[in-house]
Amino acid sequence: MSLAEEYTEASEESRLERGLAYLQRNSRAYLLIAPAAVFLLAVVGYPIVETFRLSLYRSPADSTIETFVGLQHYAEIFDSDIFYRLLWQTGRWVVAGVVGKTILGLLIAIHLKGDIRGRKFFRTAFLIPWGIPYAISAVVFRWIEHPQFGYLNAILLKLGLIEQGIGILGNPSLAWLGVVVADIWIGTPFMAIIFLAGLQSIPQELYEAAAIDGAEKWHQFRYITLPQLKSVILIATLLSTIWTFVSFDVIWTMTGGGPISSTATLVIHIYQVGLQNGNLGRGAAYSVIGFLFLLVFAVIYLRIYTRGGDEL
């Protein structure tokens, strides 16, 4: 045996010994987290694996016979115009919703942090939309935007901005906007509470020192508030993006994905293909693609977040 081979073997034995020693030292910790790990594998890992397996088969919902088709579903999806239209509609829905909730939530949080009369009341009141089930809020907004009986059209008519009621949810060009407004109203309180908690952790001395130096409110916001809130904003927008991407209740209750599929997102289409049309294999393939989109987005987002040395 050559000297290099002896050195390599000794090095591998040393690594193995270090690994065994590490496992021995942390055996109790692994034992304690084992039940949680098994539970996660059962409720998270198994559905993911089963969905991917199902996407490789032609599986009619009214039959137990499955036919292996390999990657045929994926090839058909990437070759269809519907998929790219769904990507555009899903991207538009997510970007508009998350940006709207972030901006409004930040404005509300800054306002609630100030010394205003009835601050406790307003903090509680802003939580109400988030506490109402999404489906009920969606029904309320469907009536608010009703062309004949809705408050929105009544106000616009009163102000003289329109001459007759507009059927927002029946118009393919306006329906997505009407649904996004409802989603922003529902999701803004969560963002406001998260941002408010972040604002209250910023030392007041920073603002007092900036005020002594003559910094205006805008400069205090730009150079103190935003940098100090960076971690909170990134985590809140990441969660909001995932929740908005997989959101189903609001769109389905208000429009059912219509009119002419103008408000259908990837999640709505998965439900229609997989459960309504009974094509479980094609629906599973759409689900896997959506999962991979979210996974790639989360990895890129977290890499940007940790680039400056921050930790979760």
Side-chain angles (χ1 to χ4, degrees):
M1 181 180 294
S2 66
L3 184 61
E5 289 174 338
E6 289 181 2
Y7 177 78
T8 302
E9 186 176 343
S11 177
E12 289 177 353
E13 287 179 358
S14 176
R15 268 203 301 272
L16 181 60
E17 288 174 358
R18 286 201 301 271
L20 290 174
Y22 178 81
L23 287 175
Q24 195 171 12
R25 282 199 307 273
N26 298 283
S27 58
R28 188 176 179 186
Y30 286 122
L31 192 63
L32 289 173
I33 66 172
V38 172
F39 179 76
L40 279 177
L41 283 175
V43 301
V44 178
Y46 174 73
I48 293 174
V49 173
E50 178 61 16
T51 301
F52 179 71
R53 187 201 66 80
L54 194 61
S55 71
L56 304 178
Y57 288 82
R58 182 178 292 112
S59 307
D62 56 353
S63 172
T64 56
I65 300 175
E66 294 181 337
T67 306
F68 182 74
V69 294
L71 299 177
Q72 182 183 337
H73 288 311
Y74 295 95
E76 292 174 353
I77 288 172
F78 287 120
D79 195 40
S80 68
D81 295 335
I82 296 175
F83 174 66
Y84 297 100
R85 181 163 56 81
L86 286 171
L87 281 187
W88 157 247
Q89 292 178 177
T90 304
R92 180 178 63 179
W93 157 258
V94 172
V95 171
V98 174
V99 170
K101 283 178 270 191
T102 302
I103 294 175
L104 279 178
L106 189 56
L107 291 175
I108 291 171
I110 292 172
H111 188 67
L112 290 179
K113 183 176 178 291
D115 188 18
I116 60 172
R117 181 176 295 179
R119 184 169 57 180
K120 290 183 179 178
F121 168 77
F122 286 115
R123 287 183 178 184
T124 306
F126 274 113
L127 275 176
I128 292 176
W130 204 52
I132 300 174
Y134 286 10
I136 294 177
S137 298
V139 170
V140 171
F141 264 86
R142 197 170 63 187
W143 277 102
I144 288 175
E145 297 173 8
H146 193 280
Q148 293 179 329
F149 312 112
Y151 287 116
L152 180 60
N153 277 298
I155 293 172
L156 294 177
L157 285 169
K158 196 78 174 177
L159 294 174
L161 298 176
I162 57 175
E163 296 180 353
Q164 59 182 2
I166 303 173
I168 297 174
L169 298 180
N171 187 323
S173 301
L174 297 176
W176 79 275
L177 190 60
V179 178
V180 164
V181 169
D183 183 63
I184 291 174
W185 184 83
I186 294 169
T188 295
F190 169 78
M191 303 293 272
I193 293 300
I194 294 294
F195 292 150
L196 181 60
L199 286 172
Q200 289 177 330
S201 68
I202 301 175
Q204 191 61 31
E205 292 79 8
L206 295 177
Y207 293 103
E208 293 172 356
I212 292 173
D213 291 339
E216 298 177 353
K217 291 290 184 184
W218 163 246
H219 290 103
Q220 292 181 21
F221 174 77
R222 180 178 176 183
Y223 295 108
I224 297 176
T225 304
L226 280 183
Q228 294 290 324
L229 272 184
K230 176 189 168 188
S231 301
V232 176
I233 292 174
L234 285 172
I235 291 299
T237 49
L238 173 62
L239 293 176
S240 181
T241 300
I242 295 173
W243 291 341
T244 307
F245 187 93
V246 301
S247 175
F248 176 84
D249 327 44
V250 177
I251 297 176
W252 189 254
T253 305
M254 291 185 72
T255 65
I260 322 177
S261 299
S262 60
T263 57
T265 60
L266 200 58
V267 172
I268 297 292
H269 194 67
I270 289 170
Y271 175 77
Q272 292 172 329
V273 171
L275 298 182
Q276 284 194 324
N277 298 340
N279 193 341
L280 298 180
R282 177 72 67 87
Y286 271 113
S287 299
V288 171
I289 293 171
F291 168 74
L292 292 177
F293 264 110
L294 277 181
L295 184 64
V296 170
F297 169 77
V299 170
I300 295 174
Y301 205 88
L302 290 177
R303 282 185 67 86
I304 295 173
Y305 171 76
T306 55
R307 185 181 296 169
D310 295 327
E311 294 182 359
L312 289 174

